[in-house]
Amino acid sequence: MAIPALDHLFTGNLERYRDALVVKGQDQRVGVPASDLASEEGVARLLSQYRKSQSGDDQRALISLWSKHYFAKLTVPVVVANLMSGHDLPVALDQVEVILDESGLPEAFRLPHGGGPFQTTPLDSFERFRALLDLNFAPLIEGWCAHIKISRRVLWNNAANYFEWLIRTLESAGLPDSLLWDGQQLVKLGKRPNGLSNPMANPVRYVERGEGIEPQRQRQQCCLRYRLPTLPLCQNCPLIDRPPKGALLPGTG
């Protein structure tokens, strides 16, 4: 069961995310505490299940590919609710349960309650998205990097890639900048107010391909999926013009 107060937001291209968030007590499916996914045992179980639906055994590629599903499935409904309705959701890692499908991929996220309007207007992008970025993504990424030798930049780029795509999608749908401002700024600002680097900044670039041709959207970091047999480079891979030896090109996997 989706969160009723947010149901009206998920139409058209966003409809498939309507049931991505559910509330404790209203959904009886088996869930895994999201915080467990950052532990050594949790990572091992996660990859063991996910390997059953993927060829290859490269842990970096597997966790990167799995994280893309996690980030996309959580980012879209949380950010849409936040920007379009000013709705704050309880998505800290220790508050969320992840409901997995038969392939071991996130099917839905169970929250302790349905959240509500911000009690006070967020001062900036980082305060607005603090629960999602600092209390969910950051500890999860740190946990994965503690147990698998993968770059934080790859994982943060996975998260930021979907965030940027979503903001562009909402812009194309005609939403005013007044609603999207904090989201737009999050992927533009190189530094946080405290001077630390913003890992969500500039996740993609748009490469000119010639007059009359739409610029190609390219990620800043390769997601490593090509390291799994049969999986080609993504269409927006930064290595597409200089593919690694043995990598399959899009359309050949």
Side-chain angles (χ1 to χ4, degrees), residues 96-157:
V96 176
E97 289 184 318
V98 186
I99 299 167
L100 303 174
D101 65 17
E102 294 180 355
S103 300
L105 291 172
E107 184 173 24
F109 298 88
R110 184 158 46 229
L111 311 184
H113 55 82
F118 283 98
Q119 294 184 355
T120 58
T121 302
L123 295 176
D124 56 33
S125 305
F126 302 100
E127 184 175 313
R128 177 177 290 278
F129 299 111
R130 178 176 177 271
L132 184 65
L133 303 182
D134 297 343
L135 304 182
N136 190 299
F137 291 176
L140 191 57
I141 288 173
E142 288 304 307
W144 288 338
C145 291
H147 308 301
I148 295 176
K149 293 182 178 180
I150 184 171
S151 168
R152 290 172 178 80
R153 290 184 297 175
V154 169
L155 296 174
W156 276 110
N157 198 221

Side-chain angles (χ1 to χ4, degrees), residues 16-244:
R16 65 184 184 273
Y17 296 98
R18 175 180 286 127
D19 298 320
L21 303 179
V22 297
V23 177
K24 188 175 182 179
Q26 298 177 347
D27 187 289
Q28 303 306 316
R29 287 174 290 179
V30 176
V32 177
S35 56
D36 284 4
L37 301 178
S39 69
E40 184 174 6
E41 297 79 7
V43 170
R45 286 194 299 269
L46 183 158
L47 294 184
S48 176
Q49 177 68 18
Y50 191 41
R51 282 191 187 96
K52 296 176 183 178
S53 62
Q54 294 293 334
S55 59
D57 199 43
D58 188 296
Q59 288 192 329
R60 291 176 297 170
L62 286 168
I63 197 65
S64 176
L65 192 56
W66 193 93
S67 79
K68 291 169 70 174
H69 292 276
Y70 180 99
F71 292 137
K73 197 86 171 187
L74 186 58
T75 292
V76 174
V78 171
V79 173
V80 166
N82 191 316
L83 292 178
M84 294 178 64
S85 284
H87 197 98
D88 189 24
L89 289 161
V91 292
L93 200 65
D94 60 2
Q95 294 180 294
V96 176
E97 289 184 318
V98 186
I99 299 167
L100 303 174
D101 65 17
E102 294 180 355
S103 300
L105 291 172
E107 184 173 24
F109 298 88
R110 184 158 46 229
L111 311 184
H113 55 82
F118 283 98
Q119 294 184 355
T120 58
T121 302
L123 295 176
D124 56 33
S125 305
F126 302 100
E127 184 175 313
R128 177 177 290 278
F129 299 111
R130 178 176 177 271
L132 184 65
L133 303 182
D134 297 343
L135 304 182
N136 190 299
F137 291 176
L140 191 57
I141 288 173
E142 288 304 307
W144 288 338
C145 291
H147 308 301
I148 295 176
K149 293 182 178 180
I150 184 171
S151 168
R152 290 172 178 80
R153 290 184 297 175
V154 169
L155 296 174
W156 276 110
N157 198 221
N158 287 349
N161 172 55
Y162 289 111
F163 196 104
E164 193 272 354
W165 167 83
L166 176 59
I167 297 302
R168 290 268 183 169
T169 298
L170 296 177
E171 288 173 344
S172 298
L175 268 72
D177 288 346
S178 58
L179 280 181
L180 302 179
W181 176 257
D182 279 342
Q184 294 167 333
Q185 290 300 295
L186 188 71
V187 292
K188 290 179 180 178
L189 298 174
K191 298 287 185 180
R192 288 171 169 258
N194 61 8
L196 295 177
S197 295
N198 171 21
M200 298 288 285
N202 303 309
V204 300
R205 57 185 177 178
Y206 290 84
V207 180
E208 296 292 339
R209 292 301 190 187
E211 186 175 353
I213 302 175
E214 187 174 346
Q216 184 180 19
R217 184 179 186 274
Q218 286 189 358
R219 293 165 48 107
Q220 293 290 1
Q221 300 287 326
C222 173
C223 73
L224 308 178
R225 60 173 262 156
Y226 76 91
R227 299 177 68 89
L228 297 175
T230 76
L231 292 185
L233 299 175
C234 300
Q235 292 284 353
N236 60 359
C237 182
L239 305 180
I240 202 148
D241 293 325
R242 52 184 195 286

